């Protein structure tokens, strides 16, 4: 990924990759394809814009409310907030 969001990998072992993503307003992850099933845990309430091959959509994120996605998701995630936003991504190997 070549986006502007700050990615910090906390764990990368034979079972999981745990990464924190921190966004300033308008920051993005960069276009990417998820090579593993994954769980996202928002660290604060916020909103993200999701760009996919089918267009764009917005998602409301609630602090501490995780969600799961299967391997193969392709998108760019862009902060749609007026202040810093962050989440933890847990990839399952």
């Amino acid at each position: 990924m070549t986006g502007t969001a700050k990615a910090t990998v906390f764990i990368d072992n034979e079972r999981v990759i745990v990464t924190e993503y921190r966004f300033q307003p308008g920051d993005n992850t960069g276009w990417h394809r998820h090579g593993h099933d994954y769980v996202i845990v928002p660290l604060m309430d916020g909103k993200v814009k999701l760009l996919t091959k089918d267009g764009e959509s917005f998602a409301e994120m609630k602090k501490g409310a995780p969600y799961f996605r299967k391997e193969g998701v392709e998108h760019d995630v862009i902060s749609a907030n007026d202040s810093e936003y962050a989440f933890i991504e847990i990839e399952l190997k």
Side-chain angles (χ1 to χ4, degrees):
M1 290 185 267
T2 59
T4 53
K6 182 179 181 212
T8 303
V9 176
F10 289 113
I11 302 170
D12 186 351
N13 63 30
E14 67 283 350
R15 308 234 3 230
V16 297
I17 303 169
V18 178
T19 307
E20 177 188 76
Y21 286 91
R22 289 213 166 257
F23 300 78
Q24 295 305 313
D27 279 356
N28 71 316
T29 60
W31 186 265
H32 61 282
R33 179 187 184 280
H34 286 270
H36 305 285
D37 291 350
Y38 65 99
V39 175
I40 298 293
V41 182
L43 297 178
M44 55 195 69
D45 291 345
K47 187 175 186 180
V48 294
K49 181 164 107 175
L50 303 165
L51 296 180
T52 69
K53 63 179 175 68
D54 297 323
E56 70 178 48
S57 62
F58 289 86
E60 293 289 335
M61 310 289 274
K62 295 296 179 192
K63 178 181 178 180
Y67 66 87
F68 170 84
R69 296 289 184 267
K70 299 286 281 176
E71 171 187 356
V73 172
E74 293 184 58
H75 60 188
D76 187 7
V77 179
I78 303 160
S79 174
N81 301 287
D82 295 329
S83 58
E84 183 178 61
Y85 181 72
F87 61 75
I88 297 285
E89 175 186 84
I90 304 158
E91 297 178 87
L92 310 171
K93 293 184 178 180

